[in-house]
Amino acid sequence: MLRKLLPFLILALGIGGFVALKATRPQPEPVVPQERVWRVETVTVTPAVHSPVLNLFGRVEAPDRVRAAAPVAGRLLEVRVRDGDLVAQGDLLARLDPADLEPRLAQARAELTREQLRLTHDRQALEQERALLGLAEAALGRSEKVQSRKLGTASDVDLAREQLARTRLAVTLREQAIAEHPARLAALEAKLAEAERDAARAQIQAPFDARIGTVEAGAGDQLQPNQTILTLYPVDGLYLRAKIPGSRGEELRAALEAGQRLTARANHAGRPFSAVLARLAGEADARGVDALLKVEPGSDLPLGAFVDLVLQRPAMPDTIALPFAALNGGSRVFAVNEGRLQGIMVERVGEVMEHGASEVLVRAAGLGPGTRVMITHLPNAVDGLKVQEVPERKTAAAQPQTGSATADRAEQMR
């Protein structure tokens, strides 16, 4: 019997010991919930004047490029330049065979001389034909007088009239030939001038200080009229053609009309150079509008080269430069007010280079001087979130910027 009750006694002792231990355990202090505090970095902002820029991709062009072509069909006697050569104004570049041009010039001169002689002969012949006209009129008068006395026949009178008509016709034709002489003379003089022009063009000279682009023909080639021999362009007449985003076109056009000088900095083959915005194209497409920037003299760029450039935009007053981490959702920043976040909507106007790093340029009515803005990116940032500021590391936009190296890559990609 005792053996059967032993397990129940042990179980009862265990339960009783557990209850006793639970009843005599120490009571823990109640946990008081605390609000989490996020440590963030901030900057103190001051609205100022900044000059954002556009990051562009351009191609070197020469709008004043000249195409030297053969004036007439002929053989190319020699070419004295090669691709890329620098030439001075008046230098001889190429020469056509004079034997192909001199016959046309000699023929034009001969035709002009013949026309001048023809005028002299026509004037002499006109005097004689007018004399014959007087004789024919006198002969007709005598024939009519004889016939009136019934001493002559009617056929004699008809012959006299026919001779008078022929003489008058000859005088009229001769006077017409003399009257047409100025027109024929002008046509022959124009033909001679054209032949002299082509003969002068047989020696192709540089019209200005230039660089040779391409040489498309060689000595001994038989050329056709208007066939290109070589191309050249002024060394100080280079431009960069770049596509401007449509949203920035009117802004730059207004700046040009106002007389502002907008410069760009670029680099080619490790050598920096600068350019000035000269004009915008009158037509646009879906990608934007073309801008032409005149390259500063002495840059010595190859035609057709592609370069990256940074174009200065007009100055923007009352703007603030912030690190990109300060943006939340692309158009919102958080100000720190009494240890809590306050969301402020901002307008993005570009990007700038501040303190050696690219920063976003914004404008907002709620960001006044002395406002502290969070620059730590918190994915869960909301209005009223409690934060603790760490020591400020820098001050944003303390001084106006008028020539900062900035970029507007977002606008360019758009």
Side-chain angles (χ1 to χ4, degrees), residues 93-324:
L93 308 179
R95 187 161 59 96
L96 299 177
D97 191 350
D100 296 323
L101 301 172
E102 289 179 354
R104 293 183 61 238
L105 182 61
Q107 181 181 0
R109 289 172 177 169
E111 290 178 353
L112 184 61
T113 301
R114 183 177 62 182
E115 178 60 28
Q116 293 172 345
L117 293 174
R118 179 181 176 180
L119 176 62
T120 302
H121 296 159
D122 285 344
R123 286 175 176 172
Q124 294 175 354
L126 179 61
E127 295 179 359
Q128 297 175 1
E129 288 171 350
R130 284 175 175 172
L132 292 176
L133 178 60
L135 294 176
E137 291 174 348
L140 177 60
R142 288 193 299 270
S143 297
E144 291 175 347
K145 186 176 181 179
V146 171
Q147 184 186 19
S148 63
R149 295 178 181 180
K150 297 182 180 181
L151 298 177
T153 63
S155 60
D156 293 336
V157 176
D158 292 340
L159 289 174
R161 288 176 178 173
E162 180 180 355
Q163 185 62 32
L164 177 61
R166 289 178 177 177
T167 306
R168 285 177 176 173
L169 178 61
V171 171
T172 302
L173 293 177
R174 191 69 64 179
E175 290 176 344
Q176 181 179 357
I178 294 176
E180 293 175 352
H181 168 75
R184 292 195 304 270
L185 184 64
L188 293 176
E189 288 176 345
K191 186 176 181 181
L192 176 60
E194 182 180 358
E196 291 176 342
R197 180 202 63 192
D198 293 341
R201 290 180 178 177
Q203 292 191 355
I204 301 174
Q205 296 177 323
F208 41 70
D209 296 343
R211 181 180 294 277
I212 303 300
T214 57
V215 178
E216 302 182 14
D221 289 352
Q222 186 66 30
L223 305 178
Q224 298 301 319
N226 296 322
Q227 181 177 343
T228 301
I229 301 174
L230 54 86
T231 60
L232 66 158
Y233 57 90
V235 293
D236 293 337
L238 295 180
Y239 287 79
L240 291 175
R241 181 180 294 271
K243 188 69 71 175
I244 299 292
S247 59
R248 302 301 181 198
E250 292 305 320
E251 170 189 285
L252 296 180
R253 196 183 301 276
L256 287 177
E257 292 176 354
Q260 296 186 31
R261 178 182 173 89
L262 303 180
T263 60
R265 292 184 300 277
N267 187 289
H268 179 263
R271 294 182 301 174
F273 66 93
S274 59
V276 178
L277 182 62
R279 58 185 179 273
L280 297 179
E283 298 181 358
D285 55 25
R287 298 174 299 164
V289 61
D290 285 346
L292 286 174
L293 300 95
K294 183 173 176 56
V295 179
E296 294 294 337
S299 300
D300 195 21
L301 298 174
L303 197 63
F306 291 92
V307 297
D308 292 319
L309 63 147
V310 179
L311 173 63
Q312 179 186 2
R313 289 170 51 195
M316 299 284 184
D318 297 326
T319 53
I320 300 170
L322 292 172
F324 280 92

Side-chain angles (χ1 to χ4, degrees), residues 1-7 9:
M1 185 66 180
L2 181 60
R3 190 176 291 177
K4 291 181 179 179
L5 295 175
L6 184 61
L9 293 174

